């Protein structure tokens, strides 16, 4: 009689979760189940491009079901609502259609090893009016909402504008998402002008980027932050630092200094947290932003059979502080978690995760790319910009694709992408 395979459930199909499921599926030593609330995967750092229309996720998104079939794991559509550690089960919420009709009832899945890879969502810090009036960019659905509202604004302006009219867009949060989206908006308006939207030009767009800290891109070296600030200002972005938003309402943002920032469209990209339902889920230890506290082996502090990786994990660094919520960290964690799960199955010693900072890059659409390379591999950072930086920025996504598809298929996808750039519009128009 055959011994049943170990059942490993991975909750969350983001960069880390999907890479881990793919690696374990190829190994074929256990039964792997990936759970996600969406049908398809899109690399989260690309969401600002979907929001601005410069990326069509209908082309770039990856079907979980098809990928699971090709890489020897199973996919379950669903949203996690609870973990029962004693019985080693997770509970998934019921699935309903748009009219509220029940499609799939509440389910329970058994596990031997559980990996939480749920990522993060935007943190509004309890600021009044934000949930009602601002758009977050946590998933493709929200990015589509921003795109639709942006396109409607531009269309209305092109038909009805008067000489002194402006399109006012406010973005709260001077991290990578806010900075990159600010630049993409100027690319979008130039492309729409070329496709016949009358009256649209750089002067018609009034983008305000609001940051509560002393500078934008606070996680990066100050010279990178300064370079990005300069480039955004050249484009026409009004960059406000040391500006705290106290309330959002229908026509704009109110600040602590009593300034009103008028806006027709508002985005909130200031800070992250793990989803609220994660707070002490299954009796596990969590921190103030709902992240699961893990040991250096990426196992949760209270249960050695439950791992956490990526943005939903609070992982300490040897030199102090915690691993930052970045795509490169999720990729590194997925690789170590894969090795540690195999070690756990084979009764071997698990290794500790050591964060390696390979630098950071910020793309200002087609206008510029700035960043630092090497991180802690050399003393200080090596600043890069222009075409070299853009090439390296794109290569980060290619590394993610290679982890999922291998070199040959990724090469073919790059070829198709090159062809699409020739035969398709530069901006999504439908």
């Amino acid at each position: 009689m055959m011994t049943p395979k170990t059942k490993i459930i991975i909750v969350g199909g983001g960069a880390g979760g999907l890479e881990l499921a793919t690696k374990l599926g190829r190994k074929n030593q256990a039964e792997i189940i990936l759970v996600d609330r969406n049908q398809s995967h899109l690399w989260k750092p690309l969401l600002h491009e979907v929001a601005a229309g410069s990326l069509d996720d209908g082309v770039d998104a990856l079907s979980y079901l098809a990928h699971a079939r090709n890489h020897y794991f199973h996919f379950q559509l669903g949203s996690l609502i609870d973990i029962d550690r004693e019985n080693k089960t997770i509970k998934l919420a019921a699935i309903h259609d748009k009219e509220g009709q029940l499609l799939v009832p509440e389910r329970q899945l058994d596990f031997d090893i559980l990996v939480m890879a749920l990522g993060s969502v935007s943190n509004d810090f309890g600021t009044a009016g934000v949930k009602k009036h601002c758009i977050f960019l946590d998933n493709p659905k929200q990015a589509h909402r921003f795109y639709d509202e942006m396109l409607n604004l531009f269309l209305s302006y092109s038909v009805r504008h008067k000489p002194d009219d402006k399109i006012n867009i406010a973005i709260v949060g001077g991290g990578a998402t806010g900075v990159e989206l600010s630049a993409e908006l100027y690319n979008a308006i130039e492309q729409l002008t070329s496709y016949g939207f009358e009256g649209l030009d750089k002067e018609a767009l009034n983008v305000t980027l609001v940051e509560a800290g002393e500078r934008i891109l606070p996680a990066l070296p100050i010279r990178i932050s300064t370079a990005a600030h300069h480039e955004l200002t050249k484009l026409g972005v009004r960059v406000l630092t040391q500006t705290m938003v106290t309330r959002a309402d229908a026509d704009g943002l109110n600040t602590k200094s009593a300034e009103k920032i008028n806006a027709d469209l508002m985005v909130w990209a200031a800070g992250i947290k793990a989803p609220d339902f994660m707070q002490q889920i299954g009796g596990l230890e969590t921190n103030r932003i709902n992240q699961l506290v893990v040991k250096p082996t990426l196992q949760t502090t209270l249960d050695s059979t439950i791992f956490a990786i990526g943005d939903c994990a609070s992982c300490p660094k040897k030199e102090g502080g915690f691993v930052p919520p970045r795509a490169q960290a999720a990729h590194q964690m997925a690789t170590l978690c894969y090795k540690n799960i195999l070690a756990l199955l084979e009764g071997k010693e698990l290794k500790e995760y050591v964060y390696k900072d390979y630098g950071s890059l910020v793309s200002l659409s087609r206008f510029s790319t700035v960043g630092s390379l090497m991180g802690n591999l050399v003393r200080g950072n090596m600043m890069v910009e222009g075409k070299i930086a853009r090439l390296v920025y794109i290569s980060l996504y290619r590394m993610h694709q290679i982890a999922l598809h291998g070199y040959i298929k990724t090469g073919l996808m790059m070829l198709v992408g090159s062809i699409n750039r020739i035969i398709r519009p530069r901006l999504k128009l439908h």
Side-chain angles (χ1 to χ4, degrees):
M1 186 176 178
M2 291 182 63
T3 304
K5 282 187 175 181
T6 301
K7 185 176 287 187
I8 302 172
I9 295 180
I10 301 164
V11 182
L18 186 57
E19 287 185 18
L20 176 60
T22 302
K23 286 175 178 287
L24 288 170
R26 289 171 181 162
K27 191 69 175 177
N28 198 28
Q29 285 190 359
E31 181 185 350
I32 313 301
I33 300 173
L34 176 67
V35 175
D36 198 277
R37 64 191 307 172
N38 300 303
Q39 297 274 14
S40 60
H41 162 82
L42 183 73
W43 200 47
K44 195 171 182 179
L46 296 176
L47 282 176
H48 70 280
E49 294 188 29
V50 176
S54 52
L55 179 74
D56 185 352
D57 65 319
V59 174
D60 285 74
L62 179 153
S63 164
Y64 286 124
L65 205 58
H67 190 74
R69 173 67 177 81
N70 292 333
H71 295 277
Y72 313 106
F73 64 91
H74 305 283
F75 172 67
Q76 287 260 9
L77 180 68
S79 299
L80 177 73
I81 53 176
D82 200 10
I83 300 171
D84 183 342
R85 287 168 49 208
E86 184 177 348
N87 295 307
K88 301 188 80 65
T89 63
I90 63 169
K91 185 184 292 184
L92 302 182
I95 301 175
H96 299 83
D97 65 15
K98 292 180 180 179
E99 285 71 42
Q101 296 294 318
L102 180 66
L103 298 176
V104 181
E106 205 172 81
R107 291 159 288 159
Q108 284 191 341
L109 300 178
D110 301 322
F111 69 86
D112 296 303
I113 296 173
L114 176 64
V115 182
M116 300 293 286
L118 277 164
S120 61
V121 295
S122 296
N123 191 349
D124 65 4
F125 305 102
T127 308
V130 168
K131 283 187 174 69
K132 182 176 181 181
H133 299 291
C134 296
I135 297 175
F136 300 133
L137 291 181
D138 298 325
N139 55 56
K141 184 177 180 180
Q142 293 170 340
H144 291 155
R145 179 189 165 196
F146 177 88
Y147 171 75
D148 289 341
E149 294 192 18
M150 178 196 76
L151 209 58
N152 289 341
L153 268 179
F154 290 167
L155 176 61
S156 177
Y157 179 89
S158 71
V159 174
R160 303 177 186 175
H161 73 280
K162 296 176 183 178
D164 295 329
D165 284 351
K166 293 280 188 180
I167 301 166
N168 297 310
I169 299 177
I171 302 169
V172 183
T177 298
V179 168
E180 292 181 327
L181 179 60
S182 298
E184 283 292 349
L185 290 172
Y186 283 89
N187 175 56
I189 209 163
E190 286 191 13
Q191 297 300 328
L192 288 171
T193 300
S194 72
Y195 288 123
F197 273 57
E198 296 181 3
L200 279 182
D201 57 31
K202 188 177 174 182
E203 304 303 319
L205 185 59
N206 182 22
V207 177
T208 303
L209 179 63
V210 184
E211 168 57 40
E214 294 183 355
R215 59 188 177 92
I216 61 172
L217 302 173
L220 302 187
I222 191 166
R223 62 186 183 278
I224 307 296
S225 171
T226 302
H229 191 138
H230 176 68
E231 292 292 336
L232 289 179
T233 303
K234 277 203 311 183
L235 283 175
V237 180
R238 181 188 178 209
V239 181
L240 300 178
T241 55
Q242 298 185 27
T243 303
M244 176 135 347
V245 175
T246 56
R247 182 180 183 86
D249 53 38
D251 58 355
L253 303 167
N254 300 284
T255 69
K256 193 174 182 180
S257 61
E259 180 185 356
K260 180 63 179 285
I261 301 169
N262 295 319
D264 306 301
L265 187 57
M266 292 169 279
V267 173
W268 188 274
I272 63 103
K273 63 179 180 179
D276 289 337
F277 74 86
M278 290 272 289
Q279 184 63 45
Q280 295 183 326
I281 190 169
L284 295 169
E285 183 184 2
T286 53
N287 64 9
R288 60 182 179 79
I289 57 170
N290 310 326
Q291 292 173 311
L292 291 166
V293 180
V294 299
K295 297 181 287 188
T297 56
L298 303 179
Q299 295 165 296
T300 53
T301 53
L302 301 179
D303 196 321
S304 61
T305 64
I306 300 179
F307 293 76
I309 62 173
D311 290 4
C312 75
S314 174
C315 182
K317 292 195 291 185
K318 281 190 175 181
E319 63 272 23
F322 295 88
V323 176
R326 294 164 66 181
Q328 62 176 302
H331 171 76
Q332 294 170 22
M333 285 179 166
T335 300
L336 181 75
C337 189
Y338 165 73
K339 293 176 181 177
N340 277 352
I341 286 175
L342 293 183
L344 192 64
L345 294 177
E346 296 166 4
K348 296 180 180 178
E349 185 177 352
L350 277 63
K351 294 182 179 180
E352 295 187 352
Y353 172 59
V354 178
Y355 174 62
K356 296 178 181 178
D357 184 1
Y358 291 111
S360 301
L361 292 157
V362 177
S363 172
L364 306 180
S365 188
R366 60 181 181 80
F367 305 107
S368 181
T369 302
V370 297
S372 60
L373 293 181
M374 307 307 288
N376 61 10
L377 299 183
V378 295
R379 292 182 180 177
N381 291 295
M382 182 176 70
M383 183 169 174
V384 292
E385 55 186 320
K387 291 182 179 180
I388 293 175
R390 180 64 182 170
L391 182 64
V392 177
Y393 181 86
I394 294 171
S395 74
L396 298 176
Y397 179 44
R398 298 306 178 201
M399 287 171 61
H400 175 61
Q401 289 180 306
I402 289 167
L404 298 178
H405 307 293
Y407 287 95
I408 294 175
K409 191 171 181 180
T410 298
L412 292 173
M413 293 168 75
M414 291 170 63
L415 177 61
V416 170
S418 299
I419 295 170
N420 279 334
R421 281 193 291 274
I422 297 171
I423 64 175
R424 297 172 67 89
R426 291 188 177 182
L427 196 76
K428 185 180 177 183
L429 299 170
H430 60 279

